[in-house]
Amino acid sequence: MSAPPAAVHAKLGRMDAIHALAARLRRARHILVLTGAGISAESGIATFRDTQDGLWARFRPEDLATPEAFRRDPALVWRWYAWRREQVAAAQPNAAHRALVELAQRRPVTLVTQNVDDLHQRAGSTDAICLHGSIMRSICSVTRLEIGADWLAAQTGEPPRSPHHADGLARPGVVWFGENLPADALDRANAAARDCDAVLAIGTSALVYPAAGLPALAQRHGAWFAEINPQPTPLTPTADLVVAQAAGLALPAALAAWEDA
Ligand code: NAD
């Protein structure tokens, strides 16, 4: 047997965490996967809690991702999201995004993401539930109706005007702090949490609710819970298994260990 990975198994001592992860996923009936910004970190997209570089170093992302920030300075918020959209467009899905596509080919998976990038979709997870919207879409600040790319391309304002309301501006199609999540997405995520028998939290600091509450909901309904994150989070003490590794290493390793698990 090869040397055990650096991962720790919180409750089974020295047991190989990757092997334990593969073994439990292999016999799962329905797996709920909750992802956060950490799964896209290996694609080069900054997480919220990373230090921001250059132009944006003086802003806290949390201060730009609110309705108040948009009311105060819509041009600043629009430009910040335009910069992030460029980062996302230039990035590629990584091994962790791809491994989740493969996992869904082996077992029934409901993928719930807090990410507003489109890397899960570009990797092939076309039915991901996006709790926090999408940075690639724009919506009307008043009606929340989607605004088409053709309209946006023909406008000069920063942000462009909305075609849907005289007082409306185009804004990113994401859920800001203090806003409600899309009800349908949240309902489907909660339903999956109640139904699944295994839940994986990958690359999330588990500080933003209601998303961070999904593993606990699943556990109350009897699910086993594993966390994949190099850093501890508030959920770590509640996990049945902690894989303290980058998702791009841990997930492909678990798939590779599948047959032996
Ligand atoms: P977060 O920034 O709060 O936490 C990221 C977590 O990922 C941390 O716990 C970190 O230890 C972990 N991490 C870093 N590298 C990792 C890796 N290689 N593998 C596994 N884990 C890794 O992000 P969050 O929990 O998603 O939370 C908050 C909000 O940030 C969400 O609402 C989301 O919409 C938004 N956000 C999204 C993106 C994106 O779409 N890519 C980027 C930044 C922020």
Side-chain angles (χ1 to χ4, degrees):
M1 205 171 134
S2 56
V8 291
H9 187 301
K11 293 179 182 164
L12 294 182
R14 296 174 62 85
M15 190 175 162
D16 182 333
I18 295 293
H19 202 266
L21 178 65
R24 186 59 189 85
L25 294 180
R26 195 176 164 180
R27 59 188 169 83
R29 173 184 53 80
H30 176 190
I31 304 165
L32 169 63
V33 177
L34 171 67
T35 65
I39 198 168
S40 295
E42 291 163 83
S43 294
I45 298 178
T47 67
F48 251 14
R49 274 148 256 274
D50 280 339
T51 312
Q52 296 287 301
D53 294 328
L55 183 60
W56 303 104
R58 61 212 156 94
F59 299 107
R60 292 196 321 141
E62 291 90 333
D63 293 341
L64 294 170
T66 67
E68 293 74 27
F70 188 71
R71 273 197 292 278
R72 199 166 48 234
D73 194 341
L76 174 72
V77 172
W78 182 259
R79 283 190 214 120
W80 185 63
Y81 275 94
W83 171 74
R84 289 186 57 200
R85 205 179 292 126
E86 279 170 24
Q87 281 192 322
V88 168
Q92 296 300 325
N94 65 51
H97 297 107
R98 291 192 294 273
L100 290 180
V101 177
E102 195 174 330
L103 180 64
Q105 288 161 0
R106 298 184 186 190
R107 291 293 175 271
V109 168
T110 300
L111 174 58
V112 178
T113 187
Q114 301 167 86
N115 292 350
V116 296
D117 65 45
D118 59 357
L119 296 183
H120 281 306
Q121 291 81 356
R122 280 201 267 142
S125 295
T126 47
D127 52 2
I129 298 173
C130 298
L131 286 181
H132 295 166
S134 166
I135 201 171
M136 307 316 271
R137 295 171 50 233
S138 296
I139 58 174
C140 171
S141 61
V142 178
T143 65
R144 295 188 167 243
L145 292 170
E146 185 147 357
I147 302 178
D150 290 351
W151 168 272
L152 293 173
Q155 307 299 309
T156 50
E158 278 191 323
R161 286 186 308 111
S162 164
H164 301 304
H165 194 282
D167 297 328
L169 294 172
R171 57 157 277 187
V174 302
V175 178
W176 281 327
F177 291 106
E179 294 185 323
N180 289 330
L181 275 60
D184 175 58
L186 187 57
D187 285 350
R188 286 189 293 141
N190 283 331
R194 286 190 291 266
D195 180 69
C196 71
D197 60 336
V199 54
L200 286 184
I202 306 171
T204 176
S205 59
L207 296 171
V208 178
Y209 280 77
L214 288 170
L217 176 61
Q219 284 178 301
R220 285 199 295 280
H221 286 79
W224 173 89
F225 169 40
E227 179 177 63
I228 301 177
N229 194 321
Q231 302 296 330
T233 78
L235 295 182
T236 304
T238 72
D240 298 298
L241 177 68
V242 178
V243 182
Q245 290 187 8
L249 295 175
L251 286 169
L255 291 178
W258 198 263
E259 295 307 329
D260 306 330

